[in-house]
Amino acid sequence: MTPRVRATAPLGGSLLPHPIRHLVLVLGDQLDATSSAFDGFDAERDVVWMAEVMEESTHVWSSKPRTAVFLSAMRHFAAAQRALGRHVRYTTLDDPDSTHSLAGELARSVAALAPAQLVMTEPGDWRVQQTLVDAAQSCGMKLELRPDRHFYASIDDFRAHAQGRKQLRLEYWYRELRQRHGVLLTNDGKPEGGQWNFDAQNRGSFGKQGPADLPAPRTFPPDAITREVLTLVNTRLASHPGSLDAFDWPVTPDDAQLALKDFVEHRLPQFGTYQDAMWTNEPWLYHSRLSAVMNLKLLSPRDVVQATERAYRDGHVPLAAAEGFIRQILGWREYVRGIYWLEMPRYLTRNALDAREPLPAFYWTGDTEMRCLQQSIGQTLELGYAHHIQRLMVTGLYALLLGVNPVAVHEWYLAVYVDAVEWVELPNTLGMSQYADGGIMASKPYAATGKYIQRMSNYCTSCRFDPAKASGDDACPFTTLYWDFLQRHEPLLARNQRMALQVKNLARLDTAARTAIADRAAHIRREGGAPPRALQLL
């Protein structure tokens, strides 16, 4: 293990070579020193280019934790590159000469350095890729985009998988990748345990007693580089949402390996059983905290999958836990990337449910009486993190049922989470959570009443709303909006076999009940997406 590189700033170093052969572009989510961008790198003739620009924190209202994770990881990566004897052209967020955009900084660097060629690994964001390709052309240069080897499958691999299929589903892609890469297979090529998917065993809740003896995840206190970034972000992005008081994310490859080891040893054994559970003031539970370091390319998914499978084969982890976690990495992560590049840029314009409501203001503050949303949004703003069920079945579910414009939902998710890069965030939000793609990503809308949240958490025990009620002042807004959602979209949902039973249940509601639900749902929308607050007696 190499020692952690420490430096007070990422800008030191020797004079740049002249002439420059390759200007190697490295983005904040490409922090892999073995990536294709560095193939054939010649320290005597090539220069690494990195830029912190305000545009990347303002095109969506990026939270302080998200921006800080990117900038700290970038600065550590730049310091590590210099420690290898490589030249780095690095623009900081507070550079007085900065143009504050990737295109502007690239143009400024090309004019100053006159490289013969621009090289980079393909970006994970369609907007950024187009920006840099166009910027290179404007400078009279071609940008060489190299394949991203971080993933198990290439973009072309997924296109080939999708070719000729009437519909795409995760399960078939997941099985294909497990077979191709020999993951969790027996000697004769069959799935371990006789089945591919153990999801049915991975839906446990904690019950009334709650979680016991939770192992706290390893922390990574800010070093000098990170402390400098935290001060910068608090100063330059003072009006942005979120807090940096609890910042302790891993920001280097060595940190990422320690975080992986900590997860596998202490939390992975219980991850499967409780991966969908939630509990008040317990943001981490048995989750990994690895999504950010993987999405910034500080940690290889192969290392994660291999460590997980090894833990199963060594008897440390039950098969259901290992398979459930591997499915998130080898399955979902690869699948959403394939969907993103297959469907962009038109994917961002999809709105199958014609949702038009604005995002409630409390998504930016957590100031709501609904305890589940208060908890999920509050920890999101404090930590830049919420686990997948909090995102899908609390914040995402509420936006779906309320009928929020999916672009507004997407921009919020992209802004607030430290692991948010568009290739992974957009399909999960617009497709899986909001069903705005009409079924490309998922086979049905993930719609539920407040009873689901009550079953999977203790949030409802301290909330004034009753998840069993659909109308009345104390009715759970999730339950009200669920029945309203079914009423508003009944013709569309009735054609979906997986929604047939839910739509059938509408028949249990008489005209008066339907009217009461519709009236209260309309009232919630008029109030900005939340029911009127309870009167406070002085």
Side-chain angles (χ1 to χ4, degrees):
M1 182 177 291
T2 57
R4 182 169 181 173
V5 177
R6 295 179 181 270
T8 56
L11 295 177
S14 59
L15 294 175
L16 298 175
H18 185 78
I20 294 172
R21 182 186 65 155
H22 290 165
L23 189 62
V24 178
L25 281 52
V26 177
L27 302 174
D29 64 331
Q30 297 181 324
L31 307 180
D32 177 4
T34 66
S35 74
S36 59
F38 291 102
D39 289 352
F41 190 93
D42 184 344
E44 299 299 321
R45 296 190 294 163
D46 300 334
V47 173
V48 179
W49 179 91
M50 302 179 71
E52 304 169 4
V53 294
M54 191 64 74
E55 175 187 53
E56 294 307 299
S57 289
T58 57
H59 83 279
V60 295
W61 199 27
S62 185
S63 71
K64 292 174 185 175
R66 178 175 183 262
T67 295
V69 162
F70 275 78
L71 299 194
S72 177
M74 288 171 67
R75 291 188 180 198
H76 282 92
F77 184 83
Q81 288 296 299
R82 287 199 176 89
L84 294 173
R86 293 175 173 179
H87 300 281
V88 181
R89 167 87 171 192
Y90 195 106
T91 301
T92 59
L93 195 68
D94 56 353
D95 184 338
D97 296 323
S98 175
T99 62
H100 305 297
S101 71
L102 289 174
E105 285 311 289
L106 182 59
R108 190 161 71 101
S109 296
V110 168
L113 305 178
Q117 188 174 0
L118 304 176
V119 171
M120 73 180 301
T121 297
E122 56 194 4
D125 182 310
W126 186 88
R127 173 190 61 86
V128 170
Q129 179 168 298
Q130 293 303 117
T131 293
L132 292 174
V133 168
D134 292 346
Q137 290 176 345
S138 296
C139 295
M141 303 194 70
K142 182 180 179 181
L143 175 59
E144 180 187 345
L145 296 175
R146 296 177 176 176
D148 190 344
R149 295 193 297 257
H150 170 85
F151 296 94
Y152 278 89
S154 69
I155 295 170
D156 287 341
D157 287 338
F158 190 82
R159 290 188 191 281
H161 169 83
Q163 186 70 35
R165 293 178 184 264
K166 292 183 179 180
Q167 63 178 17
L168 298 172
R169 291 294 173 257
L170 161 72
E171 189 65 26
Y172 303 113
W173 179 235
Y174 170 55
R175 293 181 187 184
E176 183 178 321
L177 290 184
R178 272 181 63 181
Q179 290 173 316
R180 184 186 305 174
H181 296 282
V183 175
L184 281 183
L185 299 180
T186 61
N187 290 335
D188 59 353
K190 304 295 184 182
E192 286 287 348
Q195 60 192 70
W196 293 100
N197 188 316
F198 289 85
D199 193 42
Q201 297 181 31
N202 292 340
R203 297 171 183 167
S205 62
F206 293 114
K208 292 182 179 180
Q209 75 279 4
D213 301 321
L214 284 173
R218 180 176 183 137
T219 62
F220 297 89
D223 65 2
I225 292 178
T226 300
R227 290 196 298 272
E228 187 174 281
V229 166
L230 300 184
T231 299
L232 174 67
V233 171
N234 272 327
T235 302
R236 293 280 172 155
L237 303 175
S239 65
H240 283 232
S243 170
L244 296 174
D245 293 345
F247 189 96
D248 72 339
W249 288 99
V251 291
T252 70
D254 287 351
D255 285 351
Q257 288 292 334
L258 291 172
L260 171 60
K261 183 174 184 290
D262 175 65
F263 168 64
V264 171
E265 287 185 3
H266 301 296
R267 299 189 301 287
L268 178 58
Q270 296 295 324
F271 168 81
T273 302
Y274 298 115
Q275 65 176 335
D276 289 357
M278 301 170 281
W279 201 259
T280 299
N281 296 329
E282 293 291 354
W284 311 120
L285 298 172
Y286 295 103
H287 292 272
S288 72
R289 296 209 335 158
L290 297 176
S291 55
V293 287
M294 277 194 289
N295 293 351
L296 270 60
K297 314 297 172 55
L298 297 170
L299 180 64
S300 167
R302 291 166 184 80
D303 287 350
V304 177
V305 169
Q306 288 165 9
T308 301
E309 182 169 8
R310 186 164 56 248
Y312 160 67
R313 297 198 181 280
D314 289 346
H316 177 62
V317 172
L319 178 57
E323 188 280 319
F325 190 64
I326 285 173
R327 185 167 5 104
Q328 290 194 358
I329 309 306
L330 184 59
W332 273 115
R333 196 166 180 268
E334 299 284 331
Y335 182 67
V336 296
R337 179 176 182 252
I339 293 286
Y340 179 81
W341 287 109
L342 186 68
E343 295 293 329
M344 283 297 282
R346 62 187 180 275
Y347 197 70
L348 191 51
T349 67
R350 294 186 182 274
N351 190 354
L353 299 178
D354 194 31
R356 304 292 175 187
E357 292 295 316
L359 186 75
F362 65 74
Y363 271 65
W364 297 106
T365 64
D367 183 16
T368 174
E369 287 187 300
M370 291 173 279
R371 189 55 56 90
C372 59
L373 284 163
Q374 181 189 96
Q375 279 281 311
S376 299
I377 294 171
Q379 76 172 59
T380 293
L381 297 175
E382 179 186 3
L383 305 171
Y385 172 83
H387 73 66
H388 65 283
I389 291 298
Q390 291 173 306
R391 300 189 203 194
L392 177 64
M393 299 305 295
V394 181
T395 52
L397 173 60
Y398 195 75
L400 170 71
L401 301 179
L402 187 64
V404 176
N405 186 316
V407 171
V409 185
H410 149 63
E411 289 177 347
W412 183 78
Y413 277 89
L414 186 60
V416 297
Y417 290 113
V418 295
D419 56 14
V421 182
E422 194 175 85
W423 67 264
V424 65
E425 174 277 324
L426 180 60
N428 271 308
T429 302
L430 190 142
M432 185 73 172
S433 170
Q434 301 303 297
Y435 199 69
D437 65 4
I440 295 173
M441 176 77 175
S443 59
K444 75 180 191 71
Y446 278 80
T449 70
K451 296 289 285 183
Y452 173 84
I453 296 170
Q454 184 182 46
R455 184 169 71 253
M456 299 306 299
S457 76
N458 70 333
Y459 294 152
C460 300
T461 60
S462 55
C463 185
R464 81 172 181 92
F465 300 108
D466 185 345
K469 292 184 177 181
S471 59
D473 290 341
D474 63 342
C476 174
F478 281 84
T479 302
T480 301
L481 293 170
Y482 167 81
W483 291 108
D484 177 70
F485 177 82
L486 294 185
Q487 289 183 154
R488 290 187 294 114
H489 299 295
E490 184 174 1
L492 174 67
L493 299 178
R495 297 196 297 269
N496 186 317
Q497 283 188 325
R498 293 195 66 196
M499 293 295 295
L501 181 60
Q502 289 172 276
V503 173
K504 241 183 207 183
N505 286 334
L506 277 173
R508 296 190 292 109
L509 302 179
D510 60 24
T511 301
R514 285 180 175 239
T515 300
I517 288 168
D519 287 348
R520 188 163 192 266
H523 192 186
I524 289 172
R525 293 188 179 92
R526 287 196 302 271
E527 292 292 324
R533 287 183 177 270
L535 293 176
Q536 300 294 318
L537 299 178
L538 299 178

